[in-house]
Structure formats: C-alpha cells, structure tokens
C-alpha cells in the first residue's frame, strides 16, 4: 500500500520542507569553519542480531548509511555512516527504543559522532517510522542537537516472524544537525 517508492517520496518531501526551515547563511555553514545547519538524506541497510521474532528479546542493530548532505545553500557533500544500537527489547511488532551511536564520515574529510538518546517508534501500514533525537558529541557540529527520521518499509514478509525472523530492513533516513 505504501511501498518503498511511497516511503522514498514521503522522506524526500520531508527533506525539502525541513531544509527550507533550517537553512543557514553560507558564512555559517560547512565547509569553511562555520557550524550552521546540515541536512543529510539517504538510505540505510540495517541488520538485526538476533533476527526479530514475535516475542520481544534483546536485539542489536547495525546499519550502514549513504547520505547526501546539504551543508549550505547549493553545496552538497556525500557522506557515509554506521549506526549501532543495542535495543533492550524488540520484536516484529515494535522496537522498544532506537537509541545508539551514529558515526558520520564526510567526503573530503571530517566526521561527526552522534549520540541518539531519545526515540519514538510507530508502525503504520507495515512501515516502521522512527523519530530520533540526540546531539553531536565529537567532530563537526559538536554540541549541536540532532534530529533523525527513519522510514523502513518491510523487506521480508511479516510471516517470517513466525519462522526465521526478520533479519534486516532497508530504510530512508534523514539526519539534521541543527544550528
């Protein structure tokens, strides 16, 4: 019903709206020494260990993310990141928390280490939406607040919860480092 394309369109639309709200003058944006707003939009491939099943269980997630970051008006920088989370209890029906650490590496140099310390999770029409917040603890944007939005359509059939479990997800991700 919603599908991967619908999730991508929704996340892209969200990125456009948010980027227009968090725009920073060139003198305040990266690169060039400033600490203005940065909006990164991309895709992630996540893996659950152990796979998610019907009953909640301690679970870890690792995701590799490819971003395109708008660091000032008209200037984008590719970036990659890894996100790691040790979920306390998770199942096919819900992730109890999606707290963790994301390490972003910007092409051309620089990095940001981000601690996600708050999350809200909802599943709508089979799509998992996670709204996260936290702060940059090291590197570019250190001390700045962060918003992270994840939209993950199911990659496996929900019936996999009854057998092998859900092993991972492909997601659209938007990361905002606020001014």
């Amino acid at each position: 019903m919603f599908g991967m394309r619908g999730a991508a369109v929704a996340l892209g639309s969200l990125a456009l709206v948010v980027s227009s709200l968090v725009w920073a003058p060139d003198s305040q944006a990266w690169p060039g020494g400033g600490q203005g707003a940065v909006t990164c939009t991309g895709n992630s491939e996540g893996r659950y260990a152990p796979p998610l099943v019907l009953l909640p269980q301690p679970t870890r997630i690792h995701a590799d993310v490819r971003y395109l970051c708008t660091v000032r008006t008209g200037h984008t920088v590719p970036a990659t990141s890894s996100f790691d989370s040790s979920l306390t209890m998770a199942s096919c029906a819900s992730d109890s928390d999606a707290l963790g650490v994301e390490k972003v590496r910007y092409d051309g140099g620089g990095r940001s280490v981000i601690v996600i310390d708050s999350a809200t999770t909802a599943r709508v029409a089979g799509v998992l939406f996670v709204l996260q917040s936290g702060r940059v603890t090291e590197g570019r944007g250190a001390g700045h607040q962060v918003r992270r939005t994840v939209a993950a359509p199911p990659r496996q059939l929900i019936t996999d919860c009854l057998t092998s479990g859900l092993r991972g997800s492909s997601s659209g991700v938007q990361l905002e480092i606020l001014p």
Side-chain angles (χ1 to χ4, degrees):
M1 180 168 138
F2 195 67
M4 181 63 104
R5 185 177 180 102
V9 169
L11 194 57
S13 298
L14 179 62
L16 290 173
V17 169
V18 170
S19 67
S20 67
L21 297 174
V22 298
W23 173 82
D26 287 352
S27 62
Q28 295 178 5
W30 304 332
Q35 297 294 314
V38 174
T39 301
C40 301
T41 304
N43 296 297
S44 88
E45 289 295 323
R47 295 174 299 285
Y48 302 111
L52 299 182
V53 293
L54 287 177
L55 297 175
Q57 63 183 349
T59 306
R60 293 181 318 280
I61 186 170
H62 173 82
D64 294 311
V65 187
R66 291 194 156 305
Y67 285 124
L68 188 58
C69 300
T70 301
V71 296
R72 68 176 182 252
T73 303
H75 186 76
T76 57
V77 175
T80 58
S81 83
S82 61
F83 178 82
D84 290 290
S85 176
S86 293
L87 301 172
T88 53
M89 298 295 277
S91 71
C92 287
S94 69
D95 291 337
S96 62
D97 56 28
L99 312 180
V101 175
E102 182 168 18
K103 296 177 181 175
V104 181
R105 292 164 301 287
Y106 304 96
D107 280 10
R111 69 184 188 110
S112 297
V113 176
I114 298 165
V115 173
I116 300 295
D117 55 16
S118 175
T120 302
T121 304
R123 199 173 285 276
V124 179
V127 178
L128 176 68
F129 290 95
V130 183
L131 305 174
Q132 302 167 309
S133 62
R135 68 191 184 296
V136 181
T137 59
E138 296 177 37
R140 288 183 168 177
H144 288 252
Q145 295 297 305
V146 170
R147 283 190 301 228
R148 190 172 190 269
T149 305
V150 179
R155 186 168 74 181
Q156 293 176 271
L157 297 174
I158 198 69
T159 53
D160 289 343
C161 287
L162 301 172
T163 56
S164 62
L166 296 178
R167 298 183 184 287
S169 65
S170 297
S171 308
V173 182
Q174 179 173 297
L175 173 70
E176 302 167 74
I177 300 175
L178 304 174

